[in-house]
Amino acid sequence: MEALLIRQRYKVTQVMRAGENYAALEAVDILDSDQKAFILNVYEGELIKPYLDIYSKLRHCPEYKELFTSDDSLVAVFEQHGGKGIDDVFYKGADIPWEKRLDCAQWLFHKAMTLADQPPELGCAGFLSENLRVQPDTDSFGINFAVHPERGYNKREMLFLLADQIKKVLMESWDSPLEQRAFVRALARGEYTSAVELYSHWLRLRPVLQREYEHIYRKNPISRKLYLLMLNLSSPLVKGREDLEGVSGIDQI
């Protein structure tokens, strides 16, 4: 079977998604010596006009390569990232150091800031689980922008999708700081209304979390378990009451 070649340059290697008037394709650039991989978003029919307008508003997106028409279709090309899917790395019970979790959360919040000024269709696609790829041996992600049509995408929805990913990275557990647990719950409830507000809060919170984690893991194993046991038994947050603003850990044992 002859391989599909788009614009005499992109050789299609896999169909990622196909639907009415839309397809997401994996392809390699045969004109590039490194055979780099890309994602081609192909829009047809009634989707061409609205997505032409959407991509015309795209600014400063490093993954974006080009936009063109081909055989009565609109094609938006983005760089493709390898790595593992976020759900294959940040799953319940995954043994991931707290330092890496904070660094990965930092990356996600920073990316939310950069996507906040982009069309919401792009921002929302960026935080879909299927599009977030954890980069090997780093504390960052890559985004595969398979931007499929979806009704209801807006800047508010982007924050809710971000919250879903942050809950995986900053997972609530018995040994996580209370400040972290309160923050994740507030984020899930939609208490932050803009990426700027959220990022500003995170920048203040991160050093607090780092100090608390260092405080926890500075202890020897027995003292650490006693400290965490007392923390969890005494906290209204853990007991299921309302989240407390500015909640903090108990004194050192």
Side-chain angles (χ1 to χ4, degrees), residues 62-79:
E63 293 87 356
Y64 177 64
K65 183 175 182 181
E66 63 175 329
L67 181 72
F68 58 85
T69 58
S70 175
D71 297 329
D72 298 321
S73 299
L74 181 70
V75 183
V77 183
F78 291 84
E79 177 185 352

Side-chain angles (χ1 to χ4, degrees), residues 214-231:
E214 289 172 349
H215 174 62
I216 292 172
Y217 284 94
R218 193 180 298 123
K219 301 176 181 295
N220 64 53
I222 295 177
S223 294
R224 184 187 312 138
K225 288 181 179 180
L226 289 173
Y227 173 82
L228 291 169
L229 178 62
M230 292 180 62
L231 183 70

Side-chain angles (χ1 to χ4, degrees), residues 148-191:
H148 60 82
E150 188 73 33
R151 297 180 183 273
Y153 276 165
N154 53 54
K155 294 184 183 298
R156 187 75 168 153
E157 178 65 16
M158 187 193 84
L159 293 182
F160 280 115
L161 289 169
L162 170 65
D164 288 340
Q165 306 305 344
I166 290 296
K167 284 191 292 184
K168 301 170 188 176
V169 174
L170 299 180
M171 185 177 291
E172 289 192 54
S173 60
W174 76 285
D175 58 348
S176 62
L178 298 181
E179 297 92 341
Q180 177 175 306
R181 303 184 216 183
F183 173 64
V184 171
R185 294 183 189 185
L187 182 60
R189 289 195 299 266
E191 294 187 8

Side-chain angles (χ1 to χ4, degrees), residues 1-251:
M1 181 176 177
E2 186 177 352
L4 176 62
L5 196 62
I6 297 178
R7 213 187 193 190
Q8 299 302 307
R9 140 166 241 165
Y10 296 107
K11 180 182 177 181
V12 176
T13 57
Q14 182 176 342
V15 177
M16 301 171 63
R17 178 189 288 263
E20 185 177 1
N21 293 327
Y22 173 76
L25 311 174
E26 292 183 6
V28 294
D29 184 354
I30 62 173
L31 300 183
D32 183 270
S33 59
D34 295 328
Q35 295 277 293
K36 289 183 179 179
F38 294 91
I39 293 174
L40 277 57
N41 294 279
V42 182
Y43 305 92
E44 298 177 341
E46 62 184 16
L47 293 178
I48 292 178
K49 185 176 180 180
Y51 274 86
L52 180 61
D53 180 61
I54 287 168
Y55 286 112
S56 70
K57 298 174 182 176
L58 195 58
R59 297 290 184 272
H60 309 299
C61 177
E63 293 87 356
Y64 177 64
K65 183 175 182 181
E66 63 175 329
L67 181 72
F68 58 85
T69 58
S70 175
D71 297 329
D72 298 321
S73 299
L74 181 70
V75 183
V77 183
F78 291 84
E79 177 185 352
Q80 185 180 34
H81 293 279
K84 294 183 178 180
I86 186 171
D87 292 343
D88 294 326
V89 177
F90 291 94
Y91 54 87
K92 187 174 182 180
D95 185 17
I96 300 174
W98 63 265
E99 297 94 339
K100 179 170 183 174
R101 289 186 180 273
L102 294 187
D103 286 341
C104 286
Q106 172 71 33
W107 190 97
L108 289 171
F109 285 124
H110 177 74
K111 195 63 177 180
M113 278 289 292
T114 65
L115 289 175
D117 292 331
Q118 304 287 10
E121 289 80 3
L122 194 79
C124 289
F127 291 111
L128 294 175
S129 295
E130 63 201 66
N131 286 340
L132 273 173
R133 311 297 296 181
V134 182
Q135 300 302 287
D137 303 321
T138 69
D139 296 328
S140 65
F141 296 84
I143 294 180
N144 286 340
F145 282 103
V147 188
H148 60 82
E150 188 73 33
R151 297 180 183 273
Y153 276 165
N154 53 54
K155 294 184 183 298
R156 187 75 168 153
E157 178 65 16
M158 187 193 84
L159 293 182
F160 280 115
L161 289 169
L162 170 65
D164 288 340
Q165 306 305 344
I166 290 296
K167 284 191 292 184
K168 301 170 188 176
V169 174
L170 299 180
M171 185 177 291
E172 289 192 54
S173 60
W174 76 285
D175 58 348
S176 62
L178 298 181
E179 297 92 341
Q180 177 175 306
R181 303 184 216 183
F183 173 64
V184 171
R185 294 183 189 185
L187 182 60
R189 289 195 299 266
E191 294 187 8
Y192 302 97
T193 58
S194 73
V196 173
E197 176 191 14
L198 176 57
Y199 192 55
S200 176
H201 183 88
W202 167 252
L203 290 178
R204 295 193 301 271
L205 177 65
R206 181 176 179 174
V208 174
L209 298 183
Q210 181 156 340
R211 287 195 298 270
E212 181 61 14
Y213 271 119
E214 289 172 349
H215 174 62
I216 292 172
Y217 284 94
R218 193 180 298 123
K219 301 176 181 295
N220 64 53
I222 295 177
S223 294
R224 184 187 312 138
K225 288 181 179 180
L226 289 173
Y227 173 82
L228 291 169
L229 178 62
M230 292 180 62
L231 183 70
N232 283 278
L233 289 176
S234 64
S235 169
L237 183 67
V238 179
K239 292 178 180 178
R241 303 177 196 169
E242 292 295 322
D243 293 351
L244 301 179
E245 179 113 12
V247 66
S248 60
I250 61 176
D251 294 335

